[in-house]
Amino acid sequence: MWFMRQAGRSLPEYRRVRADVPMLDACARPDMIVEITLQPVRRYDVDAAIYFSDIVVPLKAIGVDLDIKTGVGPVVADPVRDAEGVKRLRALEPDDVPFVTEAVGELTRELGDRPLIGFAGAPFTLASYLIEGGPSKNHERTKALMYGEPELWADLMHRLAAITVEFLRVQIAAGASAVQLFDSWVGALSAEDYRESVLPHTSWIFDQLSGLDVPRIHFGVGTGELLGLLSEAGADVVGVDWRVPLDKAAQRVQPGTALQGNLDPATLFAPWEVVARRAADVLSRGAAAEGHVFNLGHGVLPTTDPDVLARLTEFVHTETAR
């Protein structure tokens, strides 16, 4: 078991380390990456660490003018909305992200036998930030380009997929034991739109990683109707948010696919007996899958009590050891 966003604002030690340090600066400093990645491992004794980063780090590394604004999220100074904008998205080279190689190398030495999960954003979500210029509720500009200019959309997605693959390859080459592709906004799409406009590019990413002998995790938010397609894309593990019970999700994915999830992060604010009961239910339903990684159904919320997560980790370890 591990928790998405297990290293982050819910930890007082994280807030101390990040004080006065902008997010993207922290993501480019090996010492901070190592410290922040290890913080939840020390506190919770989770079974895996996940590389501390942000999905826009590789875009920043190739020269996209963007920033992560507090309370807003990634903001792009010059949104990509035409062919010229797409052409400016060059390939990512390992030398663009030397801090990744250094940090992953140090982390794998510190972690020993405990796995380090590499991390990257998926092309659709990256495209949405680039086109909208920041977070969006409706993704109207993104969908307009996808629907109205399919050739330009395909070019954009191909470039972003190549950037994502290289970012993950760098992490794997440095020692990451597994990788997670995170598609925050893909739940905004219908199954038909996903199959036509996103699936080929996501499948290409997983195919490019297939020979590197690392498990590949695919997670999206609000993707209950897309779980079969997320599995079809080629991941070994499909993350499930809290909206779909794991026994139902197991019926939607391809044979041989493990599941990750999926306790509602808000559950952690309820009394402990509720947390324990619901966690036990997740474990019970997860038994229907061909493999189960216990996790939340999305990231740890910033105001979560770290002591509850520590207690939950101990509970899951105790229950599954029986």
Side-chain angles (χ1 to χ4, degrees), residues 120-126 153-154 157-158 160-162 164-165 168 180-183 186 189 193-210 216-220 226 229-238:
F124 177 82
T125 293
L126 295 178
W153 173 261
M157 291 290 281
H158 176 73
L160 292 174
T164 298
V165 164
L168 290 174
Q180 172 159 285
L181 188 67
F182 194 94
D183 216 347
V186 77
L189 296 180
D193 287 339
Y194 182 92
R195 178 176 290 283
E196 180 177 346
S197 302
V198 177
L199 179 61
H201 308 284
T202 311
S203 296
W204 183 81
I205 290 172
F206 287 125
D207 183 63
Q208 293 297 302
L209 300 175
S210 62
R216 300 155 297 168
I217 309 167
H218 194 14
F219 176 75
L226 304 179
L229 291 168
L230 295 184
S231 175
E232 187 179 326
D236 304 292
V237 184
V238 170

Side-chain angles (χ1 to χ4, degrees), residues 18 31 90 105 121 146 181 188 198 205 281 301 322:
R18 273 285 320 281
D31 61 330
R90 67 170 178 85
M146 184 177 72
L181 188 67
V198 177
I205 290 172
D281 184 62
L301 297 171
R322 292 179 178 176

Side-chain angles (χ1 to χ4, degrees), residues 72-150:
V72 178
V75 176
V76 179
D78 186 13
V80 174
R81 295 171 181 167
D82 56 27
E84 288 304 311
V86 172
K87 288 177 183 176
R88 289 198 300 269
L89 298 173
R90 67 170 178 85
L92 179 76
E93 302 291 341
D95 288 345
D96 294 321
V97 287
F99 51 88
V100 173
T101 300
E102 182 178 343
V104 171
E106 178 62 27
L107 280 166
T108 54
R109 287 189 290 273
E110 292 275 351
L111 288 164
D113 293 336
R114 198 179 314 241
L116 174 68
I117 302 171
F119 171 82
F124 177 82
T125 293
L126 295 178
S128 179
Y129 280 120
L130 287 171
I131 295 167
E132 305 290 343
S136 172
K137 290 183 177 181
N138 300 310
H139 311 279
E140 58 266 36
R141 291 181 181 273
T142 304
K143 290 184 177 182
L145 192 150
M146 184 177 72
Y147 297 150
E149 300 185 67

Side-chain angles (χ1 to χ4, degrees), residues 276-298:
R277 184 177 71 249
R278 286 178 170 261
D281 184 62
V282 169
L283 291 171
S284 176
R285 292 176 184 272
E290 297 191 39
H292 178 213
V293 179
F294 186 93
N295 209 312
L296 302 182
H298 197 194

Side-chain angles (χ1 to χ4, degrees), residues 246-270:
L246 291 181
D247 52 344
K248 302 295 184 185
Q251 299 170 8
R252 301 183 186 184
V253 298
Q254 300 288 310
T257 304
L259 297 181
Q260 175 181 279
N262 68 342
L263 186 68
D264 186 340
T267 303
L268 301 176
F269 295 84

